[in-house]
Amino acid sequence: MAREDPAGAPPEASRRTGLRAKAKHWWQRRSPGVKGLVLSVIGGIAVFTVTEWLGPYLFHLAQRIAGREQHGLAIDDDEPDVNGWVFAGKAYADLAPPLAQVEDLDSWAKRNGGTPVWQELRFILRGKSQKPVFVKRLEPKVDCRPSTVGVHIQESVYTSLVPERSAELQADAKPLKIVFTDDRGKPINPPVYKVTQTDPEHITLHVHTTTHRCEWSVIVHWSTNGNAHKTRIPDKGQYVVTGINAATEHRGTEGELFSD
């Protein structure tokens, strides 16, 4: 239903004309300084809007024109999550402060020289631009020796009930390989990932050993424009896990004894 103006009210066209006239009159009475300030604010809002909308595109366009656009693979990773440690050459009574006084187990374990018995590394594979990057394989690199001797502290393990794909590395297995499984836990062929800046791939890698202390890393093999490249995780140093077969005693985070 069309809206009607109240009786005696000026029509809509007349109201718009009146508003424009008032705005023009107000503008004409402003000083040059005020006009400059208003125009600056309007211009700033316009530039901000265009920059927010077109900023990423314009950035890459400028780089492309200048011949400096970056392509290739970027990897976002952090320190692995840890579950349980073996403390070399120590008994439970040697650990300080007592577990009952500890709030941050990770920091406490590092101060006491603990070696993780299980690690979960999460990382993101993404392109540096919209040019596709093909991640062809993840190659594990390890250096293993006898397991760490000392007290083993085990955390409670919480298992997700939500089925998900996963990747697992037993660092002292032969043959050495990263095993991928589907959401039913069935082994699958190692996937080849195609990633771009806006279409990344999230990977979680579970790492453990049985009877060795292993320093480990992962070499990511990737290509773009037909050129092959390698990137290492971590980019410096190595991660370490150890088996619990050589532990002298086994305790929970409450101090309770348990059997291996």
Side-chain angles (χ1 to χ4, degrees), residues 72-73 132-136 193 221-229:
L73 181 70
V133 176
F134 296 91
V135 179
K136 298 187 174 181
Y193 302 107
H221 294 259
W222 57 277
S223 67
T224 186
N225 276 347
N227 298 318
H229 304 271

Side-chain angles (χ1 to χ4, degrees), residues 2-260:
R3 181 177 64 84
E4 296 182 358
D5 291 325
E12 183 68 24
S14 297
R15 284 199 294 268
R16 288 198 297 268
T17 301
L19 289 174
R20 285 196 295 268
K22 289 180 179 179
K24 182 178 180 181
H25 180 64
W26 179 88
W27 180 255
Q28 289 174 341
R29 295 181 61 187
R30 298 307 99 185
S31 67
V34 172
K35 290 180 179 179
L37 178 61
V38 171
L39 291 174
S40 296
V41 171
I42 294 174
I45 294 173
V47 170
F48 174 79
T49 303
V50 172
T51 301
E52 285 294 298
W53 181 39
L54 295 177
Y57 172 78
L58 294 175
F59 175 76
H60 291 298
L61 178 62
Q63 284 192 318
R64 190 178 297 117
I65 293 173
R68 294 196 300 268
E69 185 177 29
Q70 290 188 346
H71 303 297
L73 181 70
I75 301 178
D76 304 320
D77 65 311
D78 205 346
E79 287 293 312
D81 291 333
V82 176
N83 185 277
W85 303 267
V86 175
F87 297 88
K90 294 183 178 181
Y92 179 72
D94 298 328
L95 303 176
L99 270 171
Q101 303 175 15
V102 175
E103 294 183 2
D104 185 345
L105 279 173
D106 288 331
S107 297
W108 172 83
K110 288 179 180 178
R111 288 198 303 269
N112 282 275
T115 301
V117 300
W118 177 91
Q119 290 177 314
E120 181 180 84
L121 176 66
R122 297 185 181 92
F123 56 97
I124 302 172
L125 305 173
R126 60 179 176 83
K128 294 181 178 179
S129 68
Q130 289 305 104
K131 186 177 289 293
V133 176
F134 296 91
V135 179
K136 298 187 174 181
R137 65 188 177 104
L138 305 179
E139 177 189 8
K141 293 287 187 180
V142 302
D143 180 19
C144 293
R145 299 171 185 174
S147 301
T148 301
V149 177
V151 61
H152 166 220
I153 302 296
Q154 176 179 294
E155 288 188 88
S156 299
V157 178
Y158 300 94
T159 304
S160 172
L161 298 179
V162 180
E164 60 179 9
R165 289 193 172 193
S166 65
E168 181 176 342
L169 170 63
Q170 181 178 325
D172 57 351
K174 292 183 180 180
L176 180 66
K177 63 179 179 179
I178 295 176
V179 178
F180 292 84
T181 57
D182 60 18
D183 53 13
R184 296 172 297 175
K186 182 179 179 180
I188 59 175
N189 291 329
V192 173
Y193 302 107
K194 177 184 176 181
V195 299
T196 64
Q197 189 177 47
T198 57
D199 187 18
E201 189 72 38
H202 296 249
I203 298 176
T204 301
L205 177 63
H206 306 275
V207 184
H208 62 94
T209 71
T210 55
T211 61
H212 293 82
R213 180 186 189 277
C214 299
E215 298 178 348
W216 66 275
S217 59
V218 175
I219 306 298
V220 181
H221 294 259
W222 57 277
S223 67
T224 186
N225 276 347
N227 298 318
H229 304 271
K230 299 178 184 179
T231 302
R232 184 172 172 271
I233 307 174
D235 56 353
K236 295 180 181 179
Q238 291 178 307
Y239 299 126
V240 183
V241 291
T242 188
I244 61 174
N245 60 297
T248 53
E249 58 179 313
H250 304 267
R251 300 242 184 189
T253 51
E254 300 298 322
E256 71 277 17
L257 282 166
F258 63 90
S259 301
D260 182 8

